[in-house]
Amino acid sequence: MNKRRTKIVATLGPASSSPEKIEQLLLAGLDVARLNFSHGTADEHRERVRMLREISSKLGRHTAIMGDLQGPKIRIARFRDTQVTLEKGQAFTLSNAHDPNDGNERIVGIDYPSLVQDCHPGDELLLDDGRVVLLVDSVDEHAVHTTVVVGGPLSNNKGINRRGGGISAPSLTEKDHEDIRLAAELECDYVAVSFPRSGSDIDAARKLVRAAGSEAWIIAKIERAEAVADDDALDSLIQASDGVMVARGDLGVEVGDARLVGIQKRIIQHARHQNKLVITATQMMESMIASPLPTRAEVSDVANAVLDYTDAVMLSGETASGRYPVEAVAAMARIAQGAEQEHITTLSRHRVGQTFQRCDETIAMASMYAANHFRGVKAIISLTESGNTPLIMSRIRSGVPIYCFTPHPTTQRRVAMFRGVYPVPFDPKAYEPADVSDEAIALLKKSGVVHEGDWVILTKGDSYHSTGGTNTMKIIKVE
Ligand code: G6P
């Protein structure tokens, strides 16, 4: 069977913070470790990163790290007794004047005062990812008065969404500013921005990340209904970012579960068309928090994301706090690899009939066309600084592995997220210019990827050390 192409993002948390567990997760297939800044202290994250880097280098792996900002999630405050049970038909009030630690079954505080301005009679509020539904009856200066439409248990600090979206808090909170500095300190390869409303929220995040001294790529989490309201809104968010995450938790609540799968497919397709990364996230293996085996529906969910050609599939609670973190990664790896056997994952109609903007993009596309059509091509070698050339290549469906040859550890880690791309530490400057191609191929031959008589495609530019300069594709027979 071919090497797995779809990458696995797994969240580190209390269930995955010992050196043994981290090693097992890496061996099971973790490619990108996610730090969820909504939970845990800075020191806990520091310690996880330290272990992960140490074990990755022991195993000779290039693992990327993604810091995921909490963002302005709007939440209820706390109950006197941690939890209440709401009955259908009863009245329930959300108030910004109520003691935040003294909620009861009639009223609870909210930590977001402007909720009262954003809500109107007739709105449906979804609490705890839609498990509890409230209908807004009236709004006054300090409170939103509602009737319970779907009751059930409700506990401290649960999130609030509005059906159809539109409750908008500024995208980056004080805590996010702090966490951006932490992400820079930890040399995170990716920073994920929660609840962005538009490209300008991503621009603002990118500025802060750069100001903190980090070169991390910025992932926009698509989780507001406004972000997918029309193609222009979606495309401008994608355009501003380096990649997007289909953050199905909040998005599903706002757009409704029935629309979610179609929207997932649209987001994946749009991201790839703009040469951007895409991660499919949330509840992919949810039942594995408590069970060693996934359900049929979960298997099908992961496989479908793989067939949609997502770069990565993501685990949250399954690996952060579940009972079977290693089994969850192993199951995901197995399902991804199985789905990748289907022909539709190796044949491409990507951007047929469309023009390209850049020379390196054109070379990347031409290389993939050649690799997919010329029998005997066993590998693609992309000499790269930033990873941009292999990124563009990997937007195209293919069964041919793309090897990212780069001297930079940041790039080696970054490409851990790209579908079908594998890093190889390699510095062209260490060789005579005329020998670089042969040396690169010799490395792949030594590691058993290609053999005498195979064909290899190699891309590079005129200079051996500048980004954006790729202008050459060579097709070389392995001697
Ligand atoms: C390396 C190669 C160059 C190539 C460049 C592309 O430096 O030696 O020949 O042009 O990578 O880097 P990029 O960041 O644009 O993928």
Side-chain angles (χ1 to χ4, degrees):
M1 221 192 294
N2 286 336
K3 223 172 148 86
R4 171 172 51 85
R5 297 178 78 86
T6 312
K7 303 303 179 73
I8 296 177
V9 182
T11 307
L12 299 185
S16 44
S17 294
S18 69
E20 298 73 39
K21 274 281 178 282
I22 291 182
E23 176 156 353
Q24 289 168 6
L25 289 172
L26 283 165
L27 293 173
L30 180 158
D31 297 293
V32 180
R34 168 174 175 259
L35 308 174
N36 183 356
F37 291 139
S38 299
H39 301 286
T41 65
D43 280 339
E44 283 166 347
H45 293 304
R46 286 190 183 98
E47 182 55 13
R48 284 173 195 144
V49 167
R50 193 194 58 75
M51 284 187 281
L52 182 87
R53 296 246 200 263
E54 189 180 305
I55 299 163
S56 288
S57 81
K58 185 181 93 184
L59 297 175
R61 294 273 291 272
H62 309 277
T63 313
I65 294 181
M66 178 168 76
D68 194 335
L69 303 175
Q70 178 172 31
K73 174 103 180 167
I74 295 166
R75 294 172 187 279
I76 57 167
R78 289 158 297 282
F79 295 100
R80 193 184 309 147
D81 302 319
T82 317
Q83 179 173 313
V84 296
T85 300
L86 300 183
E87 304 292 339
K88 182 173 177 192
Q90 74 160 89
F92 189 67
T93 297
L94 307 170
S95 165
N96 59 36
H98 192 75
D99 179 344
N101 293 309
D102 199 33
N104 58 42
E105 40 300 301
R106 296 274 143 206
I107 184 164
V108 70
I110 34 176
D111 58 4
Y112 175 61
S114 348
L115 186 73
V116 294
Q117 277 122 49
D118 290 346
C119 284
H120 305 282
D123 285 353
E124 263 188 311
L125 298 180
L126 304 141
L127 278 64
D128 190 11
D129 291 339
R131 287 183 190 88
V132 168
V133 180
L134 308 175
L135 181 66
V136 177
D137 299 320
S138 65
V139 179
D140 62 34
E141 199 189 338
H142 290 297
V144 179
H145 304 281
T146 75
T147 300
V148 176
V149 179
V150 176
L154 184 64
S155 54
N156 290 349
N157 300 121
K158 289 295 183 220
I160 309 175
N161 297 82
R162 180 167 63 186
R163 197 181 299 282
I167 299 185
S168 59
S171 205
L172 293 162
T173 64
E174 242 339 283
K175 176 168 165 40
D176 295 335
H177 286 233
E178 265 169 47
D179 289 335
I180 284 175
R181 289 191 287 273
L182 179 63
E185 175 199 319
L186 300 176
E187 295 179 45
C188 285
D189 305 287
Y190 293 94
V191 169
V193 179
S194 295
F195 301 101
R197 293 161 299 187
S198 65
S200 57
D201 282 339
I202 298 299
D203 297 340
R206 190 186 298 277
K207 271 206 188 99
L208 289 170
V209 168
R210 295 292 172 265
S214 162
E215 287 304 309
W217 280 19
I218 311 294
I219 303 289
K221 293 167 71 176
I222 310 289
E223 51 190 340
R224 291 188 193 261
E226 300 94 296
V228 294
D230 55 60
D231 283 352
D232 288 347
L234 176 62
D235 286 340
S236 71
L237 205 44
I238 293 173
Q239 167 91 52
S241 61
D242 300 300
V244 297
M245 184 195 292
V246 190
R248 305 184 303 177
D250 285 280
L251 184 60
V253 170
E254 292 202 358
V255 300
D257 54 4
R259 293 293 313 279
L260 187 60
V261 176
I263 290 174
Q264 166 180 321
K265 288 175 193 286
R266 179 146 53 91
I267 296 171
I268 293 175
Q269 194 196 30
H270 280 235
R272 302 187 67 83
H273 267 251
Q274 294 197 46
N275 290 333
K276 305 293 167 115
L277 294 168
V278 54
I279 307 163
T280 306
T282 323
Q283 294 189 345
M284 297 211 90
M285 292 279 189
E286 186 76 357
S287 77
M288 290 193 76
I289 289 177
S291 150
L293 288 175
T295 64
R296 178 79 66 222
E298 288 162 348
V299 170
S300 161
D301 185 32
V302 171
N304 269 309
V306 169
L307 296 175
D308 292 342
Y309 224 74
T310 189
D311 283 278
V313 281
M314 188 172 113
L315 295 164
S316 311
E318 298 92 333
T319 51
S321 54
R323 282 180 62 194
Y324 301 98
V326 178
E327 288 83 349
V329 172
M332 228 175 200
R334 183 176 58 79
I335 297 160
Q337 218 171 356
E340 287 166 9
Q341 304 309 303
E342 278 307 306
H343 246 354
I344 58 162
T345 68
T346 58
L347 292 176
S348 179
R349 292 176 179 277
H350 186 77
R351 295 178 63 182
V352 164
Q354 288 186 3
T355 53
F356 305 139
Q357 311 299 324
R358 294 165 52 114
C359 174
D360 53 0
E361 184 182 29
T362 309
I363 294 291
M365 294 294 181
S367 303
M368 297 311 292
Y369 190 80
N372 281 349
H373 291 83
F374 181 26
R375 286 188 165 273
V377 174
K378 290 290 153 49
I380 297 163
I381 295 176
S382 176
L383 302 188
T384 180
E385 297 290 315
S386 63
N388 193 48
T389 309
L391 171 71
I392 300 171
M393 290 174 170
S394 66
R395 302 309 79 197
I396 291 198
R397 290 172 187 258
S398 176
V400 183
I402 301 162
Y403 290 91
C404 159
F405 276 55
T406 182
H408 310 297
T410 46
T411 304
Q412 291 155 16
R413 294 200 302 263
R414 179 181 292 150
V415 303
M417 186 84 91
F418 304 3
R419 181 151 172 164
V421 178
Y422 313 95
V424 177
F426 181 84
D427 187 359
K429 290 200 288 298
Y431 308 100
E432 288 298 321
D435 297 339
V436 168
S437 305
D438 290 346
E439 294 290 347
I441 291 172
L443 248 185
L444 278 194
K445 198 174 162 201
K446 209 170 105 198
S447 54
V449 174
V450 295
H451 304 97
E452 196 180 324
D454 290 340
W455 291 93
V456 170
I457 292 178
L458 182 143
T459 65
K460 64 190 189 77
D462 289 338
S463 118
Y464 277 122
H465 42 74
S466 58
T467 187
T470 295
N471 62 6
T472 310
M473 168 182 105
K474 292 172 83 170
I475 306 184
I476 307 163
K477 191 164 197 174
V478 180
E479 299 290 340

